[in-house]
Amino acid sequence: MHEPRDSGELLMAAADDDQRAWDMLESRYGPRMWATARACGLSEADAADAVQGAWLRLLEHLHTIRDPSGIGAWLATTTRREAMLILRKGRPGVPLPEVVPGDPDPAAAVLEADNSRRLWNAVSGLHEPCRTLLRLVASDCGNRQVAGRLGVPLGSVGPTRSRCLERLRTLIHQQETVQ
């Protein structure tokens, strides 16, 4: 049997009682779930309850998940909902803060920071000139500036950027399948 690579395959393998798939799901999404619960303002013990509740919901809905490839978002949303339930139970009669559209979602901010960290770690793992080129592009340098900084012809910046982005995609995909 081959090792599941993407989230959808992991979920399907977990549904078939593959303990290794469950372990890989926990390894991949557990830290984000914890960050989501803690970003909601829960204590460590309450965050543990929220995360455990989200895993239980997954177990209950394992065969009815509509988009297995989106399991990470499903788990984050479910963890946030479990956290809100715990907050409501812990403070009866005290209304939870309203979420105003446009206000930053603390859990989303944690997930965004985690994604950003993973992206820049991957960029750091690239060889030159890709590492420098992508950092320059991210800092809004134009092609002329990039060409000048790298000492390459202006016409080669676009094709080089395309190759570097493809290497970055491959590296990120490899890192995700390892986790």
Side-chain angles (χ1 to χ4, degrees):
M1 182 172 162
H2 82 288
E3 181 174 306
R5 293 178 178 264
D6 66 19
S7 300
E9 288 180 5
L10 279 176
L11 189 62
M12 290 168 55
D16 289 335
D17 294 326
D18 182 341
Q19 182 59 48
R20 194 154 162 236
W22 279 109
D23 293 342
M24 291 173 77
L25 282 169
E26 198 286 325
S27 164
R28 187 175 292 179
Y29 298 112
R32 291 183 193 169
M33 293 167 70
W34 272 91
T36 299
R38 293 292 288 194
C40 291
L42 295 180
S43 68
E44 188 172 336
D46 286 341
D49 288 345
V51 171
Q52 183 179 16
W55 286 117
L56 179 60
R57 299 294 160 257
L58 177 60
L59 187 59
E60 292 170 347
H61 298 284
L62 197 55
H63 297 285
T64 60
I65 301 290
R66 281 183 262 154
D67 180 15
S69 64
I71 192 62
W74 190 95
L75 285 167
T77 299
T78 304
T79 301
R80 189 171 27 260
R81 287 179 180 156
E82 291 291 318
M84 292 298 124
L85 286 172
I86 290 169
L87 285 171
R88 280 189 196 102
K89 288 177 184 174
R91 303 179 204 164
V94 177
L96 291 175
E98 291 285 325
V99 176
V100 179
D103 277 0
D105 177 5
V110 169
L111 293 174
E112 179 65 28
D114 183 50
N115 287 338
S116 180
R117 179 191 54 78
R118 289 183 16 222
L119 171 68
W120 288 110
N121 282 344
V123 169
S124 295
L126 293 172
H127 296 292
E128 292 297 342
C130 288
R131 181 175 38 236
T132 300
L133 183 143
L134 292 176
R135 286 183 175 148
L136 290 171
V137 168
S139 64
D140 288 331
C141 288
N143 282 357
R144 281 191 204 289
Q145 291 173 309
V146 171
R149 295 286 268 313
L150 295 176
V152 299
L154 180 60
S156 72
V157 172
T160 303
R161 179 178 52 230
S162 293
R163 285 190 299 275
C164 292
L165 287 171
E166 186 56 39
R167 288 182 187 134
L168 180 61
R169 279 186 207 96
T170 301
L171 183 59
I172 289 172
H173 179 71
Q174 289 171 346
Q175 290 174 349
E176 286 177 348
T177 59
V178 169
Q179 293 180 348

